[in-house]
Amino acid sequence: LYAVYETTDRKFWTELAKCNQAEFKKSGTEGKCIEAREFIIALPESFVDYPPDGLLKYMTDKFKSRYGVDCIAALHHNKRKTNYHIHLIFAERNYLDEPIEKIATRNMFYDEKGNHVRTKKEILDENGTIRKRCKVIKKGEVYERQMFTIKDARFKQEHFLDEVKVFYTDVINGLVKDEKEKLSAFKRGDVYLATKKIGKNNPKADKITLNNKVIQDWNRTVDHALVSGMERKEILKVK
């Protein structure tokens, strides 16, 4: 771990997590609540020559400037120091300009799970006292405070991931000193095939490695075909 950077204070992430958990619970959706989303951004190894704090700040601020959401990021190397990369986590919500508060018009009662119940009797024990972790919100008090906007719909659109890949490819290429290190974003449906990343302890590692080798052979063949003057549409037929 070389550097950590965030575009807002840590309190933001705590409050965002609470908001997302509350909205998830209200929706009744099964599965896990998504509190934020993450990108892993691979960097050229030559970028170790840049000051880590400055590089991470630059890459993170670029995302915030384009999409207008807060981020927290970390700059890493793997143990063998062959994979220099950034973990960038971004929020799907922003703070509202003014929080929306809901005021209780009567006493409100909540059980141990935080569920609203109709009467005080439902949160009392056999001795007539309020059970632990149950709570009462008195008339006139705030029972719900909405601090965040709804989730930005852009981040769920199908083309968003491809858009970000192109965006960060351009940002990285703007920092590359050697022209040979310049990147290009993979285009779906083009003549080339994409290799797959092999995650740690992946049970299919051997199969993916073999598959990646075949793909690399294909991509080299495509390079030769293009250089020799073969048209893309003809290569696509073969593909």
Side-chain angles (χ1 to χ4, degrees):
L1 174 63
Y2 293 101
V4 175
Y5 173 71
E6 47 196 313
T7 60
T8 185
D9 57 45
R10 193 58 57 91
K11 183 182 176 184
F12 171 88
W13 300 103
T14 304
E15 292 174 342
L16 178 67
K18 288 178 182 177
C19 170
N20 283 328
Q21 290 286 357
E23 292 296 320
F24 181 76
K25 186 176 180 180
K26 273 197 269 183
S27 71
T29 306
E30 294 183 357
K32 292 183 179 180
C33 171
I34 297 173
E35 294 180 0
R37 292 185 181 272
E38 179 186 19
F39 281 118
I40 300 175
I41 306 163
L43 302 173
E45 283 302 308
S46 64
F47 279 23
V48 295
D49 295 335
Y50 288 112
D53 291 322
L55 175 64
L56 184 60
K57 183 178 186 302
Y58 178 78
M59 297 290 288
T60 307
D61 284 344
K62 281 287 186 182
F63 189 92
K64 180 175 180 179
S65 176
R66 183 178 179 101
Y67 294 105
V69 290
D70 281 303
C71 311
I72 181 169
L75 181 60
H76 286 269
H77 237 150
N78 60 336
K79 286 183 179 178
R80 291 183 297 158
K81 293 194 175 182
T82 56
N83 181 14
Y84 201 43
H85 62 279
I86 291 170
H87 290 265
L88 184 142
I89 294 171
F90 65 96
E92 294 177 276
R93 305 175 190 267
N94 280 314
Y95 274 134
L96 289 167
D97 292 333
E98 290 291 336
I100 299 171
E101 295 182 339
K102 294 182 180 179
I103 308 298
T105 55
R106 62 181 181 83
N107 288 352
M108 299 179 71
F109 312 105
Y110 294 85
D111 65 15
E112 295 91 340
K113 295 181 179 180
N115 297 318
H116 177 237
V117 296
R118 196 168 58 87
T119 64
K120 184 177 180 180
K121 186 177 180 181
E122 294 174 73
I123 61 171
L124 300 179
D125 61 19
E126 60 273 12
N127 299 318
T129 57
I130 297 173
R131 299 193 303 273
K132 288 183 178 180
R133 296 191 299 279
C134 294
K135 68 176 181 180
V136 178
I137 293 178
K138 296 180 181 179
K139 179 180 177 179
E141 292 181 346
V142 175
Y143 70 90
E144 186 177 314
R145 181 179 285 106
Q146 186 178 337
M147 302 176 65
F148 292 91
T149 61
I150 61 172
K151 286 187 176 182
D152 193 323
R154 288 178 301 171
F155 303 137
K156 291 186 178 180
Q157 293 174 354
E158 286 186 13
H159 69 269
F160 173 64
L161 181 58
D162 289 334
E163 179 187 314
V164 173
K165 284 181 180 178
V166 172
F167 167 67
Y168 265 122
T169 297
D170 290 342
V171 172
I172 289 169
N173 285 343
L175 296 174
V176 167
K177 295 174 182 177
D178 185 345
E179 287 290 320
K180 293 177 182 177
E181 280 196 320
K182 285 205 170 180
L183 307 172
S184 59
F186 183 82
K187 294 180 181 178
R188 299 177 194 272
D190 195 20
V191 291
Y192 294 101
L193 292 167
T195 55
K196 288 187 177 180
K197 176 178 170 59
I198 303 172
K200 190 176 181 181
N201 300 323
N202 190 325
K204 297 182 179 180
D206 291 341
K207 185 177 181 180
I208 295 172
T209 300
L210 182 60
N211 196 53
N212 283 345
K213 184 182 181 304
V214 175
I215 286 172
Q216 287 164 352
D217 290 341
W218 164 262
N219 289 341
R220 280 192 290 270
T221 304
V222 169
D223 285 338
H224 291 306
L226 289 171
V227 169
S228 67
M230 191 173 182
E231 292 188 12
R232 267 180 150 74
K233 63 181 180 181
E234 294 301 320
I235 298 173
L236 283 171
K237 285 181 184 178
V238 180
K239 182 188 172 185

